[in-house]
Amino acid sequence: MTAHSKFTVAYTVHKLTDYSPAALGKAAIECVSACSSEASAVRNEADLKAFRDRWLARKHGILTQINDLWLKGAPKESKREAGIRVNELKVRIQELVDGAHVSAVQPEIAVDRVDLSLPGIHRPIGAEHPVLRASREMCAVFQRMGYSVAEGPVVETDYYNFEALNFPPNHPARDTQDTLFIAGQESKPQREKLLLRTHTSPVQIRTMERLRPPIRIVIPGVVHRNDPPDASHSPMFHQIEGLAVDTNITFGDLKGTLDYAMKDFFGSSVKTSFRPSFFPFTEPSAELYISCFICGGTGKRGSDPCRPCKQTGWIEILGCGMVDPNVFEFVKDNGYDPKKVSGFAWGMGADRVALLKYGVDDLQLFFHGDVRFLAQWA
Ligand code: DAH
């Protein structure tokens, strides 16, 4: 018995009279669905051979007939369209014939070889990646203080990544955050151009557009920069951002909040130190250092130098500052009048936090996907 003889009306190729795209499309769909239902009726090697011959045989196979009746018979102006259709059809039919081969042959082998006395296949349960774990635990510290978690897109516009954060077009501060732009956007205005976000800070703006003050949010996420990979850099990495806006928020609130968070995360004996810095979207800006929780701030481990703090006893952990009034100007209409509200923000590298917390000395290990390394967090 051949595969197609199981059907009461077997598919046959008709000559086409209408070569409009709609008619060609309809004819192609009929053909593919006939082939597909014949493929599912294939049960054994003999069916398979009949099925393959019926559709692919050089001399009278259905594809050959389609070539003769649809393509060669097409009027000149429809040749191109018909050619494209017929080529698509060939690919699809070849796929269906190949697929039928698998389903026809495999069950017979499988049935013969299943040994029900063997133990089952054990699928190991995965574990949370150490970077995501560190990030989640850091967010949890802030959530316990009443912060909510916000997220935003990894493919971002120039407006949110730079302009609304007070990096004007062509400002040199943009050089510190070189990244990949999506290709083919030459005709778009600068602010609409899409890029891989270089930090999680654009989610500050997106959240302030969505929610009126007061707000307290933490923002975990993936970011990209033009940084060649080494033991402490990667072109893809993770950040955690924070933002608090209300009336009368001061630099004292910033210091108190971050000091409390660092003690909660790294241990209560950790000390904090704030040093002046610059970010376009905060004024004043600072870098937060924590005392090295590995050497206890001495810079030494026994007689050896302490590597994580480079023998200084201090580790830089994040950038922070009071939200620049220029940033509030971009979201003023949603209740963020810089004369009425103030706020602080901070951003840290989640990968760096994970390196420190788990005592890993090469960032690349996190991204190589070596199960022997990652299983240590299982
Ligand atoms: N976005 C900065 C960066 O990636 C980090 C940062 C610094 C974020 C200060 C902040 C901040 O919110 O206030 O380098």
Side-chain angles (χ1 to χ4, degrees), residues 103-374:
S103 57
V105 176
Q106 262 190 353
E108 284 167 317
I109 297 173
V111 170
D112 287 348
R113 297 200 183 154
V114 169
D115 178 350
L116 294 176
S117 67
L118 287 173
I121 297 167
H122 175 66
R123 289 188 192 281
I125 297 172
E128 192 175 24
H129 191 279
V131 172
L132 298 184
R133 175 164 153 187
S135 175
R136 181 179 51 73
E137 287 175 3
M138 183 61 85
C139 288
V141 167
F142 287 89
Q143 283 175 289
R144 288 195 285 277
M145 287 191 263
Y147 282 63
S148 315
V149 176
E151 285 183 312
V154 176
V155 179
E156 191 46 283
T157 59
D158 187 284
Y159 175 77
Y160 286 107
N161 196 79
F162 291 122
E163 192 180 333
L165 289 164
N166 203 28
F167 292 79
N170 303 320
H171 193 279
R174 288 179 174 228
D175 288 352
T176 60
Q177 303 196 5
D178 186 18
T179 188
L180 294 169
F181 278 75
I182 307 299
Q185 306 186 89
E186 292 74 14
S187 59
K188 280 191 188 172
Q190 168 111 354
R191 55 164 54 180
E192 285 170 28
K193 287 190 176 151
L194 295 170
L195 46 84
L196 296 183
R197 70 176 176 195
T198 56
H199 49 178
T200 41
S201 308
V203 189
Q204 290 189 26
I205 309 294
R206 287 186 175 274
T207 310
M208 288 192 282
E209 283 179 349
R210 204 162 46 83
L211 305 173
R212 299 176 72 83
I215 56 167
R216 279 175 293 179
I217 49 164
V218 270
I219 307 155
V222 170
V223 303
H224 293 80
R225 283 191 201 174
N226 182 8
D227 280 340
D230 65 25
S232 55
H233 293 89
S234 162
M236 181 285 306
F237 60 106
H238 301 78
Q239 287 191 336
I240 310 165
E241 183 98 7
L243 174 69
V245 184
D246 203 339
T247 45
N248 300 320
I249 296 257
T250 67
F251 202 88
D253 296 315
L254 181 163
K255 286 183 76 174
T257 304
L258 292 177
D259 183 77
Y260 175 87
M262 293 302 111
K263 287 183 164 63
D264 190 348
F265 190 83
F266 289 107
S268 57
S269 57
V270 153
K271 293 198 207 41
T272 52
S273 161
F274 292 81
R275 305 182 191 179
S277 184
F278 172 80
F279 300 101
F281 39 91
T282 44
E283 181 62 33
S285 305
E287 267 146 22
L288 169 60
Y289 285 72
I290 56 171
S291 58
C292 182
F293 54 89
I294 293 154
C295 65
T298 60
K300 283 209 156 67
R301 296 171 87 178
S303 54
D304 293 333
C306 180
R307 284 223 293 160
C309 68
K310 302 192 196 102
Q311 305 181 61
T312 63
W314 293 95
I315 296 174
E316 185 194 333
I317 202 85
L318 55 80
C320 58
M322 301 305 289
V323 178
D324 193 306
N326 289 347
V327 170
F328 285 138
E329 287 291 339
F330 286 93
V331 284
K332 199 174 177 172
D333 293 346
N334 200 29
Y336 294 88
D337 181 345
K339 294 202 185 68
K340 297 195 179 127
V341 295
S342 57
F344 65 80
W346 48 267
M348 70 174 94
D351 321 78
R352 212 171 121 64
V353 166
L355 283 181
L356 291 167
K357 172 125 186 170
Y358 305 125
V360 173
D361 56 15
D362 186 346
L363 179 63
Q364 297 304 317
L365 288 167
F366 283 143
F367 306 129
H368 283 167
D370 186 331
V371 177
R372 293 166 302 180
F373 173 74
L374 296 172

Side-chain angles (χ1 to χ4, degrees), residues 81-97:
E81 181 74 23
I84 294 171
R85 279 288 174 186
V86 168
N87 276 339
E88 284 169 2
L89 211 52
K90 281 183 185 164
V91 172
R92 191 68 197 105
I93 296 218
Q94 185 70 51
E95 279 171 5
L96 285 167
V97 172

